[in-house]
Amino acid sequence: MCGRMAITLPQDAMAQVFSAAPANDLPQIPNYNVCPTMPVHVVTSDQGSRRLRGMRWGFVPHWYDTLTNGPLLINARSETIAQKPAFRDAARARRCLIVASGFYEWKREKGQTPQPWFVDCNDGAPMAMAGIWQSWDRGDAPVQSCAVVTCAANTAMAPIHDRLPVIIRPQDWPLWLGEAGHGAAVLMRPAPDDLLRFTKVSQRVNSNRASGPDLLTPVE
C-alpha cells in the first residue's frame, strides 16, 4: 500500500514536467510527511488539456453522506479496481497522476518497531503514481478526492512490503490519462526493479506530526 509520501518539487517545476496548467489553490510545499486526508498534487486531463490540481488524499464515494461516512480509501487495488463499486466508474473515466517525490513504506518484524523506508525514483525524477479521482458534492462545497492505485510488489520492494503503488512512466502518461485511447489497464503492473531506490530513514516519520527535510536523511 501507500500510506505516506513526500512532495518537495516546486509547483512551477511540476507544472512544466507534466505540461499542465497549475490551479490557484495548490497544496503548500515542501511537505516531507504527507498523510491521508491531506491535499496532494494531482494531474488530470480533459480532452488533452492537462491541469495540476490539489485534491484530498482519501477517495470519497458518491454515496457517503459525510467525508467520514465509511472507510478511508487512500489506495485502490489494481486487481479489483474494475469491480469495486467505489472505484469502477473512476477507473474508467477519472484517472489521474498523483505526483510525489517519493513515498514511505514500513518494514514490520515481530517484536520490533516498524522501520520506515523512503522509496523514490533512481534518477531523482518526480514519481507519477497512478490514481483515480472524483468530486463529492454532498457537503457545503464540492470536494475533489483521490486514491493511489496499487499492485503487487516487485522483487526489490518485496522484502519491505507486499504492495507497491503503480508507477506510470512518462511515455505512458497519455495512456493513463485517457489521451491516447483505451487500454490503460495494461499499465497496472509493478515497476521494474531498477526504477526505484530505497533509503532507510529515521523512525521519527512514524509520527504523523513529524516534519522537516531531515525525515529523508539516511540512517544506518
Side-chain angles (χ1 to χ4, degrees):
M1 63 177 294
C2 176
R4 211 83 69 78
M5 64 181 79
I7 304 172
T8 63
L9 191 68
Q11 320 273 29
D12 56 348
M14 271 189 272
Q16 183 175 7
V17 166
F18 291 92
S19 301
N24 294 325
D25 57 349
L26 291 172
Q28 291 188 342
I29 49 96
N31 187 340
Y32 295 90
N33 193 5
V34 181
C35 303
T37 75
M38 286 183 177
V40 293
H41 292 76
V42 171
V43 176
T44 60
S45 182
D46 182 8
Q47 297 181 338
S49 179
R50 295 182 186 174
R51 189 178 179 200
L52 179 66
R53 312 164 61 180
M55 288 191 186
R56 177 188 190 267
W57 183 19
F59 191 93
V60 184
H62 66 83
W63 60 80
Y64 278 21
D65 292 326
T66 68
L67 295 176
T68 57
N69 195 211
L72 181 59
L73 305 174
I74 62 172
N75 296 151
R77 295 176 70 95
S78 60
E79 298 90 342
T80 57
I81 194 172
Q83 291 80 43
K84 291 286 187 180
F87 301 138
R88 60 191 178 199
D89 289 344
R92 285 194 295 266
R94 293 185 301 279
R95 296 188 300 273
C96 62
L97 299 172
I98 298 175
V99 185
S101 303
F103 66 93
Y104 298 95
E105 194 52 86
W106 280 260
K107 184 175 183 178
R108 303 177 188 275
E109 296 187 284
K110 188 175 181 180
Q112 298 185 19
T113 302
Q115 174 59 54
W117 291 74
F118 184 67
V119 185
D120 65 347
C121 293
N122 245 327
D123 59 2
M127 181 176 286
M129 295 179 282
I132 54 173
W133 73 277
Q134 75 172 16
S135 182
W136 178 84
D137 58 4
R138 293 196 176 192
D140 295 333
V143 174
Q144 280 71 49
S145 65
C146 63
V148 176
V149 180
T150 66
C151 60
N154 59 19
T155 303
M157 184 71 184
I160 299 173
H161 198 276
D162 62 356
R163 302 294 295 177
L164 178 69
V166 172
I167 299 168
I168 307 297
R169 306 300 300 278
Q171 64 268 25
D172 295 323
W173 293 346
L175 182 57
W176 183 256
L177 292 173
E179 300 167 350
H182 302 290
V186 301
L187 302 178
M188 293 192 289
R189 58 180 181 262
D193 287 345
D194 61 0
L195 176 67
L196 303 176
R197 63 185 172 188
F198 302 83
T199 305
K200 188 178 182 180
V201 295
S202 169
Q203 292 179 355
R204 281 191 60 235
V205 78
N206 291 3
S207 169
N208 58 16
R209 294 185 294 275
S211 62
D214 61 304
L215 295 179
L216 302 183
T217 301
V219 300
E220 294 298 328

